[in-house]
Structure formats: C-alpha cells, structure tokens
Amino acid sequence: MIGIFEILSRRGVVLWRKKDNILIIEEYFVMLKMAEGREGFLKFLNQVATWQNNIIIQEAYSAHCLKVETDAVRKAQRKYAALTKADIMRIRQEARENMPMLPLEQLDYIKEFDIFVVRASAPSAQEATEASGQLLALGHFDGEKVEMAMYDEVKHNLMNSNDD
C-alpha cells in the first residue's frame, strides 16, 4: 500500500502538503475512489493517513537512531581519546543493536486532514488554487467521517469568513 501511494505521489495523482496536513487529489482519481462507495472512500482516506504516519515513524526512527549512535560515539570519544573509523562503526552498530525502543506514543500522528480536489488539467498542485480556477472541491477527514463540498458552493462563505 505504501509503495502504491509513493507511485501515485510521484505521478502527481495524490500529493501530501506536510506543512498544513492537506491531501491534494486529482479529480479523476477522486471519482474512481468515490465510485467505490462511502466505505471504499473512507478506507482510502484511512490508507492516506497510514501512508503519512508511516513516513512520520520512519523519520522519527532515523532521527532517534542518529541521536543514539551519536551519543554513543561521543561517550566513547570522551573515554578513549583516539578512535579509528572501524571503532566508530563498531560503536554505532552496537548502539543501534542496543537502542531503546522509539516511544511511538509520543509521535504527532496524522489523525485528521483537509482534502483539496484539483482539476486533472492543473499544471501543478501548487498552482491549483481557487484563483486559477483549478480547485474543484474541499473536504475534511477527521479519522471517522469525511465532509466534502464543491468549491463553487462554499467559496462565498469562505471569502466572507476571511473578512471578519
């Protein structure tokens, strides 16, 4: 599943905007997923969350591993003045093997996200804005239910809420 999402992402069918937890999906793909019915679409959105949470775990594990290895090497350097590259590699390997578990419960998982549906003809996801006419629908997934609306139906309310 993760591999499929990576392929879809490389092809521009789905895009995850990490800074604000937004899933950008190309319109034809959304239509295919919605054709699977409510349960099929909810399953797809949960798979998106799993895909992104997998990335969060991988990044956290890499950072944790690097920290543990670095701390072990620094400790050894304080104890023994001169370490060879082989010593450092051995220390890093031992630190990795004896590394404490990554505290997964402390990670900031993706529990909910916004959804933007863009036209298939959009030159890029970054250019698929309401101003360019490429944004078709907006939605929000809270982990259990999804709410979607066509952009043209809600843009008046969005524009007026920005004036407050």
Side-chain angles (χ1 to χ4, degrees):
M1 176 191 73
I2 303 297
I4 291 170
F5 274 102
E6 294 301 325
I7 291 168
L8 292 171
S9 180
R10 279 194 300 271
R11 292 186 179 168
V13 177
V14 297
L15 175 77
W16 183 261
R17 215 164 68 185
K18 186 177 182 175
K19 68 179 180 176
D20 44 12
N21 289 349
I22 294 177
L23 173 66
I24 302 172
I25 315 172
E26 189 267 333
E27 70 179 309
Y28 292 124
F29 192 70
V30 168
M31 290 171 28
L32 283 171
K33 289 297 165 189
M34 286 184 160
E36 295 175 5
R38 176 176 158 59
E39 293 304 314
F41 192 59
L42 287 174
K43 179 181 176 184
F44 164 71
L45 294 175
N46 278 301
Q47 289 172 337
V48 167
T50 300
W51 167 48
Q52 288 306 306
N53 287 330
N54 180 62
I55 292 170
I56 289 169
I57 292 169
Q58 287 179 348
E59 289 172 352
Y61 178 79
S62 293
H64 183 63
C65 192
L66 181 63
K67 182 186 179 328
V68 167
E69 290 177 8
T70 303
D71 290 348
V73 170
R74 286 184 181 147
K75 182 178 176 184
Q77 285 174 331
R78 283 192 301 272
K79 192 172 183 179
Y80 309 105
L83 296 175
T84 65
K85 286 185 180 183
D87 292 335
I88 292 172
M89 292 303 292
R90 184 181 41 72
I91 292 166
R92 290 180 68 197
Q93 181 64 36
E94 184 177 337
R96 201 174 312 126
E97 288 172 2
N98 298 323
M99 182 172 62
M101 291 294 291
L102 179 65
L104 295 176
E105 64 280 350
Q106 294 176 4
L107 297 180
D108 189 20
Y109 290 108
I110 304 297
K111 295 172 189 76
E112 60 182 277
F113 53 88
D114 292 324
I115 303 163
F116 289 3
V117 179
V118 298
R119 290 190 192 283
S121 60
S124 74
Q126 285 74 21
E127 294 176 31
T129 63
E130 60 276 1
S132 68
Q134 301 297 323
L135 183 59
L136 295 176
L138 302 171
H140 183 78
F141 177 63
D142 69 2
E144 295 179 17
K145 65 181 190 296
V146 63
E147 296 177 7
M148 299 283 296
M150 297 304 292
Y151 178 70
D152 286 340
E153 294 173 11
V154 296
K155 72 179 172 184
H156 177 72
N157 293 342
L158 290 173
M159 297 304 166
N160 289 339
S161 69
N162 289 338
D163 295 337
D164 294 339

